[in-house]
Amino acid sequence: MTERPDLKLGAFFFGGVEMDDAGAGKPDPMDRRYSNEACWQATLDYVNSAKEAERLGFDSFWTTEHHFQYEGYEVIPNGLLISTWIAAQTTTLRFGAMFNVVPQWNPLRLAEDFATLHNLSGGRAMLGVGRGTVPREVLHLNDKGVSIGSLDNPDQVAADVQNREVFEESMEIIRRALTQESFSFEGTHFQIPIPGIPDRGETVQELTLVPRPIHPFEIWQAVTSPPTLDYVPVVGHGAVFWNQHYSFIKRFWDMYAEKYAAAHDGAELASHEKRMLVLAFRIEDTMEEARASALPGHDEFWKFLGPYGWSRGYMGADGKPAAAGLIPTLDESIENKTILVGTPEEVAEGVAFYRDLLGLEYLTLFPHMIGDPYKKADEQMARF
């Protein structure tokens, strides 16, 4: 019988501006331009929803890191900074980012900032890491010319390879910095310390991160491609799965455990360990009301993210991953089970399906469809 650990519920918000014109069709995303005041109001509402998540008994709250999005989709540029402010106003809620975009950071600054948040919050931080989505952001926030590509787009493979190399070297630096009294690193893209730096009559041979975590910590990473699945269990990061057909998630879920055991002297994970599922949902009194309520935000989500290849985890008519560029309908998302829609009983059945399929423990919910009022997301967390 599948193990049934207690669910650890998270809430994940993009942190966007409320929109009265969300949905398929016009306006085009880049035709919107929200004011600084509107973006800041979304930030204040975001903080209030985090506090509401704690009041409702959620275990964790997951933020984003995105930049320069005047179109209003994601207006939180620093998940660590906003989480520090939320931590000061909460007592039990844990914090993570989906995700800190590592190639946009100096890895030593990311490690320092995370350690500071983790220690100030009494050990409530989780380090969520990813490689990025939006070239507009990453190209302006690193000094190595790193962009973001996709293996699904042959003309962007070189960008993808460079991004992955920089990401993996950065993560090695971050892990060493957070866990070792002193460290050094030499790779293709980084050399730490820089050779020949004079300091009090000697040259610097190692660095020490100040502060380092004084509590145990977790690292979680998005897993959407085979190369990432080859990497994440080897280095021991927890794996986050989202927006994939349930059968693809099941295959990756089980492969993670196999690869983890192979890399860690045969250590066998329970079916729920070190893996997290993220699900969008919409609960209303009837299925018809739930579909109508979910549709604008669902369609706006795909208008935003479809061009970045996010639907590659959907199943096509041939049973294989969908071709790049798919903009799924709500029906296709419901069929793929990337979103649970319906009455409380119907959504509960969807959760039970995944618990039976995966032995689920870490379930993070996406209650704030793009454009929705934050009060709607708060209501959805309460209904769940």
Side-chain angles (χ1 to χ4, degrees):
M1 184 175 179
T2 303
E3 294 183 52
R4 286 295 184 94
D6 291 338
L7 282 176
K8 292 183 174 64
L9 287 179
F12 170 39
F13 282 56
F14 269 3
V17 175
E18 296 179 8
M19 301 174 178
D20 58 10
D21 57 0
K26 300 294 183 180
D28 292 333
M30 305 307 286
D31 287 345
R32 293 193 184 97
R33 179 173 288 275
Y34 287 96
S35 68
N36 182 55
E37 290 74 18
C39 292
W40 186 245
Q41 184 60 51
T43 303
L44 298 177
D45 292 339
Y46 193 81
V47 171
N48 287 334
S49 286
K51 293 189 288 186
E52 181 67 5
E54 175 171 273
R55 190 189 72 80
L56 290 167
F58 279 73
D59 176 72
S60 60
F61 188 85
W62 296 82
T63 63
T64 60
E65 182 203 337
H66 285 286
H67 306 263
F68 319 128
Q69 292 194 8
Y70 65 80
E71 64 272 29
Y73 286 132
E74 297 167 299
V75 298
I76 307 297
N78 190 318
L80 300 175
L81 192 60
I82 200 76
S83 292
T84 303
W85 178 243
I86 296 168
Q89 302 178 65
T90 55
T91 57
T92 61
L93 198 65
R94 299 197 302 155
F95 311 97
M98 290 189 181
F99 295 90
N100 296 296
V101 182
V102 174
Q104 295 174 185
W105 284 79
N106 178 302
L108 297 176
R109 292 302 302 268
L110 179 55
E112 286 176 342
D113 288 2
F114 171 75
T116 300
L117 165 62
H118 196 48
N119 292 349
L120 284 174
S121 66
R124 289 189 280 147
M126 296 169 284
L127 182 58
V129 295
R131 297 197 302 119
T133 299
V134 186
R136 177 187 5 161
E137 300 177 352
V138 67
L139 279 164
H140 288 98
L141 291 168
N142 74 86
D143 60 0
K144 299 181 182 300
V146 176
S147 186
I148 178 67
S150 169
L151 293 176
D152 299 310
N153 300 303
D155 62 328
Q156 297 178 25
V157 168
D160 187 80
V161 169
Q162 184 192 23
N163 180 293
R164 190 178 297 277
E165 288 177 354
V166 170
F167 173 87
E168 292 184 4
E169 286 194 12
S170 295
M171 287 310 305
E172 180 61 29
I173 293 165
I174 289 166
R175 288 191 299 269
R176 292 185 191 187
L178 291 173
T179 60
Q180 298 179 11
E181 172 66 29
S182 59
F183 71 98
S184 60
F185 178 84
E186 186 168 353
T188 301
H189 302 280
F190 296 93
Q191 187 169 3
I192 297 174
I194 296 169
I197 299 175
D199 191 5
R200 298 187 177 118
E202 299 180 351
T203 58
V204 178
Q205 300 299 310
E206 294 183 314
L207 295 181
T208 295
L209 194 77
V210 180
R212 296 190 305 282
I214 60 174
H215 306 276
F217 66 92
E218 304 166 5
I219 300 177
W220 291 90
Q221 182 176 345
V223 176
T224 60
S225 69
T228 304
L229 183 61
D230 288 338
Y231 166 78
V232 171
V234 172
V235 296
H237 299 173
V240 180
F241 300 96
W242 190 29
N243 272 319
Q244 299 179 63
H245 187 276
Y246 58 86
S247 68
F248 298 159
I249 287 180
K250 172 62 174 173
R251 184 168 71 246
F252 272 31
W253 194 274
D254 292 345
M255 289 176 66
Y256 176 95
E258 295 167 7
K259 292 175 182 290
Y260 185 92
H264 295 86
D265 299 321
E268 293 189 6
L269 297 174
S271 61
H272 57 88
E273 287 186 288
K274 295 186 75 70
R275 283 153 288 177
M276 179 186 301
L277 178 67
V278 180
L279 284 175
F281 76 97
R282 182 50 51 100
I283 298 171
E284 303 290 357
D285 292 339
T286 67
M287 173 61 81
E288 292 72 21
E289 290 173 332
R291 289 174 61 89
S293 176
L295 184 62
H298 170 276
D299 288 355
E300 190 68 45
F301 179 101
W302 287 108
K303 189 164 68 176
F304 168 33
L305 289 169
Y308 297 118
W310 271 46
S311 58
R312 59 184 176 271
Y314 275 54
M315 180 182 284
D318 59 359
K320 299 178 181 179
L326 171 70
I327 306 297
T329 64
L330 179 58
D331 283 339
E332 288 172 318
S333 293
I334 292 172
E335 184 177 348
N336 278 262
K337 296 189 185 298
T338 60
I339 185 171
L340 304 180
V341 177
T343 64
E345 293 77 15
E346 287 167 323
V347 171
E349 287 174 6
V351 174
F353 168 85
Y354 274 111
R355 296 196 77 184
D356 290 340
L357 183 70
L358 306 175
L360 193 60
E361 179 180 12
Y362 296 98
L363 174 62
T364 296
L365 301 166
F366 187 66
H368 191 219
M369 306 299 286
I370 289 185
D372 274 350
Y374 281 81
K375 291 298 184 184
K376 184 64 177 179
D378 295 348
E379 172 220 292
Q380 286 294 301
M381 289 193 293
R383 295 197 71 160
F384 191 91

